[in-house]
Amino acid sequence: MKRPFRCIPVLLVLLLAAAGCGMKGGLSVWPVDSLVKVFPDDMPGTNESGGTVLTARNGHASVQFAVRSRAGIPKLRVEVSGPDRGGKTLSAQVRWAACVPVGSNPPETPRDEVIRPGPALFPDPLREDFPFELKPETTQSVWITVSAPPDAESGEYSGEAKFYSGDELLGARGFRVRVMEATVPAAQTLKVTNWFNLSAGHLRRYYKVEQYSDAYWGLLGNIGRVMAEHKQNVLLTPVMSLAQPSVAGGRIQYDFARLDKWVETFEKAGLLGTIEGRHLLGRQSGYHTPMVVPAYVVENGKVVERNLEAGDPRAEQFLNGFLSALYAHLKEKGWTGRYIQHVHDEPHGREAPTYNRYATIIRKNLPGIPTIDAVGLDQDIGFFADVCDIWVPVLGSFDHQLDKIRAHVGKGGTAWFYTCIFPQGRYLNRFIDLSLVKVRLLHWFNFRHDFTGFLHWGGNYWGPEPFDNVQTVINDNLTLLPAGDNAIVYPNPEKSSVLSSIRLEAMREGIEDYELLAALAKKKPDAARQLARDAIPNINDYVREPAEFRKLQRRLLEAMSGGGK
């Protein structure tokens, strides 16, 4: 009598061989879809995927290999050749995904919406230093970013990743990238901003820079290049702190040379399309404390900065003088068409009278300049509806209020959306312990619901140990942030720059998807809308499996390549 279970060891051997166990040094290497996170305890062959990775021209694709060794490899080095086709080679950058500790999952999120419960190690920062230590019985992700130029020939390109222990070649694994005829439009239409704290006081923790030194401006340029490469085109700009006030004839005058240097630095880096003026109003402390107006005032013949109460007549006097000078400078530089101005972050009901009053003053002094603010549509919107041009409601606050947003846009307004601590639950977001499918779909959501921009507050709000603590505490130590809410990049002092993350890579590819959907909508609006509906039937109902998303991605690329129905 035959006993089928005797075949299991043979099958296991075949699976392990397919996973790359034949390499020298006992190194196992296997491909994993880049939307699937690789964990240290993944055994050889876990989540193994095959097939060709797709991309559009002028787009990016991510190739991921998982690596594991029983004995470990102290100095693992990876080199990539190709991918090439008929003498044509695509650009490829190889990095490895380090893990960071996640202590807890978002408290209002069901267990089945996170990849695994905390505490646990999760992959996120993309390290650029080779060789790196592959510890025994530990799996790491090797990440290859492939860029296709706008004039790339369509077709299949073959690449190879070679794995070394020091100088000894352990083996190689091939991969394939198919460049479709579709082309990501050169001009990005989606507005994207991650708020960065670029004050020298914050940066000095991680880099040896002094405010406004050559090293400081060099660092800002390097950060700008990384973010520009990842499709950020709007930058929160501290216009007040960049202005240099002085007293002349008893009145304050302003020198905007530092603002010019700021714009010049980020323009050169390729980032700055829209100048996003930082908020002109604030609060004494936390969210529920009284509003204040940060202002420059003259005391004893000198200019000092004070947080004035909203009822202080000097507050309005300051704004009238400062904003009229700022507007004159914007007009002189030809920047009025690319400047937007925040009034107050997340205004809420009881702040309505003060908000309305000062928003009116700001609009009067900046004629034609759009005002923008993060707002919650889960409250009465009457107080900001007529004085805020660009509404940025938090995702999760407008499930049943899309009609209000459409009415605002119909009257000539603009609508973006934002994430900040929330939403949790079953919504899309970019927390570290969520699937990368959720991150990529954020910008399918933009297209699906006719938003034209995305804002997140945490670009680089690192704590003292950015790689060891991704859950910082804010609001006077009362709010523990979900993992990664505070930052989408990591410090890279060795190169005076920042490191990307696998979330930022997924976000870039999602932005490119948005631009392809928008381009398709101009030619085949029904096809574009159907694709978006198939991806996101409702606000918190969407495709969750990478394999299902890849089918939609293929349909989009084929539709823009002329091969789709």
Side-chain angles (χ1 to χ4, degrees):
M1 187 177 189
K2 292 183 178 179
R3 304 179 68 180
F5 69 87
R6 290 181 176 174
C7 296
I8 292 177
V10 177
L11 177 60
L12 181 60
V13 169
L14 291 174
L15 288 173
L16 291 177
C21 288
M23 284 192 181
K24 294 180 182 179
L27 179 66
S28 299
V29 180
W30 66 99
V32 178
D33 190 299
S34 63
L35 290 174
V36 176
K37 295 188 177 181
V38 171
F39 289 93
D41 58 0
D42 285 349
M43 298 304 293
T46 301
N47 294 320
E48 183 170 2
S49 64
T52 301
V53 176
L54 305 180
T55 188
R57 293 181 290 198
N58 198 34
H60 296 81
S62 298
V63 176
Q64 180 175 228
F65 287 104
V67 295
R68 186 180 180 91
S69 171
R70 178 176 297 177
I73 300 175
K75 294 183 178 181
L76 181 64
R77 182 166 55 89
V78 185
E79 294 182 357
V80 173
S81 58
D84 53 51
R85 176 179 184 273
K88 304 290 185 179
T89 303
L90 304 178
S91 172
Q93 179 185 16
V94 60
R95 291 164 290 181
W96 59 280
C99 286
V100 293
V102 171
S104 61
N105 305 120
E108 298 183 20
T109 299
R111 168 66 184 86
D112 60 342
E113 288 291 333
V114 298
I115 304 175
R116 59 173 56 185
L121 292 173
F122 280 78
D124 196 48
L126 284 173
R127 304 299 299 249
E128 300 172 355
D129 47 321
F130 285 97
F132 71 95
E133 181 185 6
L134 180 62
K135 295 180 179 179
E137 301 289 3
T138 302
T139 301
Q140 296 278 174
S141 160
V142 171
W143 193 278
I144 302 169
T145 300
V146 177
S147 306
D151 59 351
E153 292 182 1
S154 59
E156 191 166 286
Y157 291 69
S158 297
E160 186 178 59
K162 296 180 180 179
F163 299 85
Y164 295 85
S165 175
D167 294 328
E168 180 187 7
L169 178 63
L170 302 179
R173 287 290 175 266
F175 62 92
R176 299 187 302 278
V177 176
R178 176 171 291 279
V179 177
M180 307 292 281
E181 293 177 10
T183 302
V184 177
Q188 182 176 320
T189 59
L190 184 69
K191 303 295 186 183
V192 178
T193 181
N194 293 280
W195 288 354
F196 276 74
N197 184 347
L198 298 175
S199 67
H202 177 68
L203 296 177
R204 198 177 293 118
R205 282 183 171 184
Y206 320 98
Y207 309 88
K208 295 179 180 179
V209 294
E210 295 300 323
Q211 190 88 16
Y212 307 130
S213 65
D214 289 345
Y216 172 79
W217 292 115
L219 171 61
L220 264 57
N222 292 339
I223 294 173
R225 272 186 287 277
V226 172
M227 298 315 296
E229 289 167 359
H230 290 84
K231 307 295 183 179
Q232 180 163 334
N233 54 4
V234 181
L235 185 67
L236 189 66
T237 298
V239 288
M240 182 177 164
S241 62
L242 288 170
Q244 295 172 266
S246 60
V247 180
R251 298 173 62 87
I252 300 177
Q253 62 183 14
Y254 298 94
D255 182 343
F256 291 102
R258 286 177 180 164
L259 174 61
D260 296 347
K261 179 71 171 180
W262 175 281
V263 174
E264 174 190 336
T265 297
F266 287 105
E267 277 186 332
K268 188 176 180 180
L271 184 155
L272 203 53
T274 299
I275 307 167
E276 180 187 5
R278 186 184 286 276
H279 311 82
L280 295 170
L281 307 183
R283 297 184 179 93
Q284 284 183 0
S285 180
Y287 182 71
H288 294 292
T289 59
M291 293 173 65
V292 296
V293 181
Y296 291 122
V297 297
V298 178
E299 295 180 359
N300 299 319
K302 296 182 180 180
V303 179
V304 295
E305 186 175 352
R306 295 282 185 257
N307 283 334
L308 303 178
E309 294 181 357
D312 191 322
R314 293 178 298 169
E316 183 173 347
Q317 181 182 1
F318 159 71
L319 285 175
N320 286 333
F322 174 72
L323 292 177
S324 61
L326 174 63
Y327 183 75
H329 189 74
L330 294 173
K331 196 170 182 180
E332 178 186 348
K333 302 294 290 188
W335 294 342
T336 55
R338 56 189 295 206
Y339 187 85
I340 58 179
Q341 180 63 61
H342 282 283
V343 178
H344 183 52
D345 191 31
E346 296 181 328
H348 47 81
R350 70 179 188 178
E351 297 177 331
T354 304
Y355 182 89
N356 278 358
R357 176 190 167 204
Y358 279 100
T360 301
I361 293 169
I362 291 165
R363 288 160 64 92
K364 178 191 71 175
N365 283 287
L366 298 175
I369 299 293
T371 52
I372 173 174
D373 272 319
V375 295
L377 293 192
D378 51 356
Q379 59 181 322
D380 177 19
I381 65 170
F383 75 89
F384 62 77
D386 295 327
V387 292
C388 182
D389 299 300
I390 304 174
W391 291 7
V392 192
V394 62
L395 181 58
S397 74
F398 51 81
D399 294 36
H400 305 293
Q401 302 204 53
L402 285 168
D403 57 330
K404 294 181 181 179
I405 297 172
R406 294 190 185 103
H408 173 66
V409 173
K411 292 189 296 184
T414 302
W416 302 2
F417 79 92
Y418 82 102
T419 56
C420 172
I421 306 175
F422 298 100
Q424 297 180 26
R426 299 197 181 278
Y427 292 91
L428 298 168
N429 214 317
R430 53 169 239 193
F431 305 141
I432 290 174
D433 45 355
L434 300 182
S435 165
L436 287 173
V437 176
K438 287 178 179 274
V439 182
R440 184 150 181 178
L441 282 177
L442 281 169
H443 304 298
W444 286 67
F445 185 94
N446 262 310
F447 179 82
R448 170 74 171 87
H449 292 292
D450 300 312
F451 291 94
T452 56
F454 173 78
L455 181 154
H456 187 89
W457 78 277
N460 73 329
Y461 281 79
W462 307 306
E465 299 176 319
F467 296 93
D468 296 323
N469 182 7
V470 295
Q471 291 182 268
T472 53
V473 179
I474 62 170
N475 293 336
D476 298 325
N477 292 326
L478 296 176
T479 304
L480 176 67
L481 294 175
D485 195 55
N486 64 315
I488 193 75
V489 295
Y490 294 80
N492 184 9
E494 292 79 9
K495 293 186 177 180
S496 188
S497 185
V498 289
L499 297 171
S500 180
S501 65
I502 60 177
R503 291 176 296 143
L504 187 58
E505 301 297 309
M507 186 171 169
R508 171 169 61 185
E509 292 173 33
I511 294 169
E512 292 173 351
D513 294 338
Y514 172 94
E515 298 298 338
L516 288 169
L517 285 164
L520 179 62
K522 294 178 181 178
K523 301 191 296 183
K524 303 175 184 178
D526 292 344
R529 291 295 171 191
Q530 187 60 56
L531 265 170
R533 283 193 296 270
D534 290 346
I536 306 175
N538 295 297
I539 280 185
N540 58 4
D541 175 20
Y542 45 86
V543 167
R544 284 172 163 78
E545 295 301 321
E548 291 302 308
F549 174 80
R550 294 302 184 193
K551 294 176 184 177
L552 294 168
Q553 179 195 8
R554 178 180 286 274
R555 281 172 54 192
L556 173 59
L557 291 171
E558 287 178 344
M560 282 299 291
S561 298
K565 294 182 181 180

